[in-house]
């Protein structure tokens, strides 16, 4: 079984940027957000169940899931949120395990923005947190998504706290610096994970 490094961080912290750097070095990247979208793709059993439960309002005119409508429904109603999580989490988990089982390299990266929120850190061999201060998160998210400060702050407040993410970290990339510092951290961690993966395999002690 491949060694799994979970990569997490708050909105705009740089998860995608860092994951891309590892991917360029040949590390397979499993993206939890992508899996979450796949399990509710048009034609899926989960999408049918969502429509049976919430009605046709859950669909966009072209037949795909109206994710923002659904987000509003579960935001306002914890019971609906539980119903949806009970439906989707086992499917996402199963698909994730299938993808991890299909990895042929010694280790892989599992990008999970909601690692802490969904208590998934125990499912990984190692946890890497991409960390920046909240002001940097806000300004980078505003610039990237062209949203207001108020919108960026609202997203940040709804997420797990910086402290709770750091509490489950084995490794931390401080991503407030520029690309050169980021590159150095990635090189160091790349070598560390190669070694830890071999230790898990029993090839080295
Ligand atoms: P989200 O949670 O919203 O998906 P993310 O954690 O994947 O975000 P990125 O999209 O990788 O974050 O980065 C957010 C923005 O910050 C992007 O515009 C990216 O180009 C920029 N960025 C990432 N790392 C750095 C850095 N070290 N210095 C400056 N800008 C950076």
């Amino acid at each position: 079984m491949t060694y799994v490094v979970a990569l997490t961080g708050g909105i705009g912290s740089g998860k995608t940027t860092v994951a891309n750097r590892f991917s360029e070095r040949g590390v397979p990247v499993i993206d939890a957000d992508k899996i979450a979208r796949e399990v509710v793709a048009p034609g899926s059993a989960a999408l049918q169940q969502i429509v049976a439960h919430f009605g046709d309002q859950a669909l966009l005119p072209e037949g795909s899931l109206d994710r923002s409508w659904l987000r509003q429904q579960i935001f306002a109603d914890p019971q609906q949120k539980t119903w949806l999580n009970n439906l989707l989490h086992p499917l996402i988990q199963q698909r994730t395990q299938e993808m991890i089982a299909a990895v042929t390299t010694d280790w892989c990266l599992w990008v999970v923005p909601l690692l802490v929120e969904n208590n998934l850190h125990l499912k990984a061999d190692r946890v890497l947190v991409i960390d920046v201060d909240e002001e940097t998160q806000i300004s980078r998210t505003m610039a990237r998504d062209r949203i207001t400060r108020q919108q960026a702050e609202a997203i940040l407040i709804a997420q797990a706290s910086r402290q709770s993410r750091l509490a489950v970290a084995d490794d931390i990339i401080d991503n407030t610096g520029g690309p050169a510092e980021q590159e150095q951290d990635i090189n160091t961690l790349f070598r560390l994970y190669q070694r830890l993966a071999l230790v898990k395999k029993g090839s080295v002690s």
Side-chain angles (χ1 to χ4, degrees), residues 143-157:
R144 185 196 55 190
D145 298 344
R146 302 192 184 288
I147 58 174
T148 64
R149 166 168 288 272
Q150 210 180 6
Q151 287 169 314
E153 283 175 353
I155 300 169
L156 214 95
I157 286 166

Side-chain angles (χ1 to χ4, degrees), residues 89-136:
H89 283 183
L91 296 172
I92 293 169
Q93 190 51 36
Q94 189 192 341
R95 183 75 191 119
T96 305
Q97 289 311 320
E98 283 167 10
M99 293 190 74
I100 289 172
V103 169
T104 54
T105 48
D106 290 336
W107 68 279
C108 68
L109 208 57
W110 175 36
V111 181
V112 204
L114 300 180
L115 186 86
V116 170
E117 288 83 345
N118 292 331
N119 212 25
L120 293 169
H121 53 282
L122 297 175
K123 301 217 179 264
D125 293 297
R126 191 102 180 158
V127 174
L128 168 60
V129 171
I130 314 304
D131 182 53
V132 291
D133 58 88
E134 285 158 358
E135 189 48 42
T136 305

Side-chain angles (χ1 to χ4, degrees), residues 9-18 33 113 140-141 144-145 159 175-179 182:
I11 183 166
S13 57
K15 297 179 292 296
T16 310
T17 311
V18 171
D33 278 352
R140 286 185 186 165
T141 304
R144 185 196 55 190
D145 298 344
Q159 293 191 334
N175 196 31
T176 42
Q182 199 188 68

Side-chain angles (χ1 to χ4, degrees), residues 147-174:
I147 58 174
T148 64
R149 166 168 288 272
Q150 210 180 6
Q151 287 169 314
E153 283 175 353
I155 300 169
L156 214 95
I157 286 166
Q159 293 191 334
S161 68
R162 186 180 179 193
Q163 285 69 26
S164 62
R165 270 190 299 270
L166 291 175
V168 299
D170 294 299
D171 308 300
I172 299 164
I173 289 184
D174 173 357

Side-chain angles (χ1 to χ4, degrees), residues 3 27 106-107 189-199 204:
Y3 187 83
V27 178
D106 290 336
W107 68 279
L189 289 172
F190 182 83
R191 285 192 295 269
L192 174 69
Y193 297 151
Q194 296 270 67
R195 176 153 184 92
L196 290 173
L198 291 179
V199 171
V204 276

